[in-house]
Amino acid sequence: MDALSTVLEATRLRSVVYSKFPLSAPWGLDVIQDQNSQFWRLVSGSCTVGSPDGSIIELQEGDLVFVPNGSAHWIADKATSLRMPSPEFVKARRAGTPVFNSGGEVTTLIAGHFEFDYQPLHPFLKDLPPIIHIRQYVTENQLLLKQVAQLMLDELNNERPGSGVILKSLSEIMFINIIRAYLEQAAPGTGFLSALNDPRISKALKLMQDSPQTDWTLESLASEIGMSRSVFFNQFKKLVHETPLSYLTNWRIRQAQKLLTTNNSNISEIAANVGYQSESAFNRIFKSKTGQTPAMYRRSKLSEMK
């Protein structure tokens, strides 16, 4: 499995498609900050998005905006329109209360979000910009993104048996193609995604992710990928924005979080599976990263699942 696929599997990418909804001008939503990654696709009409960095984006039909880290933003027919807080909008829709139906020009949107388990956030997510605007459909990945979005629209327009499962799968495919389209459009010079395009750094990531139980050192990793210790350290830190051993520690903790909620092994066995021969050392590092001991984390997560 490639390094990005392993990351998405470990962080448990899940998607939720809210709905397709028509909005009559004037309309506007203030979207509050949360922990999820939101997306908006403009099906028809026109609208404006206020980016987390203060810039304003004018969307054209077919455009898609993606807010990777759940930053507060707004979306409206015009920048000057009055805006409703998004929780109030959701509450009104659930209650069947009409909103934004004054008879003006109609804009149709598809919206949803992506969820990721575990803290701290993986560098893959932290390194993405505050907002990604996909506006052209000329490359292979952009065209595939357009086709996936159209399939989602077809399911929303014609709900059939299994539509919920299909929408979930399509939106997860959409997520991958948003990232691919972003790479084609922006070609970032640093960050986790740029590290994936560096053959040797990508190999180091894959080694750590595939075998966290191995007693990796800076020297052994550098040797495996054919780089000197100092060059490897500097290049890895430049691209990933953390040191190789810091990345390894965080990855081990993420894997431990997963095992604690999906595996019946005892704490010492899980510690060994993620590279810690000492249970006390594992407990100490796990608590420093999550604020809980492994046992406390397991109890709290299993309780949430009931």
Side-chain angles (χ1 to χ4, degrees), residues 132 216 252:
I132 293 173
W216 294 112
R252 284 170 167 167

Side-chain angles (χ1 to χ4, degrees), residues 37-41 49 51-53 55 57 59 63-69 73 124-125 127-135 137 142 145 175-186 188 193:
S37 302
Q38 295 111 5
F39 71 87
W40 302 90
R41 182 174 188 258
V49 175
S51 171
D53 64 9
S55 60
I57 299 171
L59 269 63
D63 282 9
L64 185 146
V65 290
F66 173 53
V67 185
N69 293 306
H73 60 285
F124 157 62
L125 289 168
D127 290 342
L128 291 173
I131 195 164
I132 293 173
H133 178 200
I134 306 299
R135 59 189 176 274
Y137 294 94
Q142 290 169 338
L145 177 58
F175 178 86
I176 300 297
N177 281 284
I178 288 172
I179 300 305
R180 288 177 173 176
Y182 164 68
L183 285 172
E184 290 177 333
Q185 190 168 284
L193 290 175

Side-chain angles (χ1 to χ4, degrees), residues 129-169:
I131 195 164
I132 293 173
H133 178 200
I134 306 299
R135 59 189 176 274
Q136 298 176 16
Y137 294 94
V138 293
T139 67
E140 181 180 352
N141 287 320
Q142 290 169 338
L143 287 171
L144 182 55
L145 177 58
K146 182 179 181 180
Q147 291 164 0
V148 170
Q150 184 57 49
L151 289 171
M152 289 175 65
L153 180 60
D154 290 343
E155 288 297 326
L156 288 167
N157 284 337
N158 305 285
E159 188 172 339
R160 291 162 290 207
S163 283
V165 174
I166 290 175
L167 281 169
K168 180 180 181 297
S169 298

Side-chain angles (χ1 to χ4, degrees), residues 208 210-216 248 252 271-277:
M208 289 186 278
D210 288 352
S211 303
Q213 74 280 3
T214 301
D215 185 21
W216 294 112
L248 176 60
R252 284 170 167 167
N273 284 337
V274 297
Y276 294 97
Q277 299 308 312

Side-chain angles (χ1 to χ4, degrees), residues 74-93:
W74 58 263
I75 183 166
D77 64 312
K78 295 178 182 177
T80 55
S81 293
L82 292 177
R83 302 193 291 268
M84 173 185 289
S86 55
E88 291 183 19
F89 175 71
V90 171
K91 185 178 179 180
R93 281 181 57 83

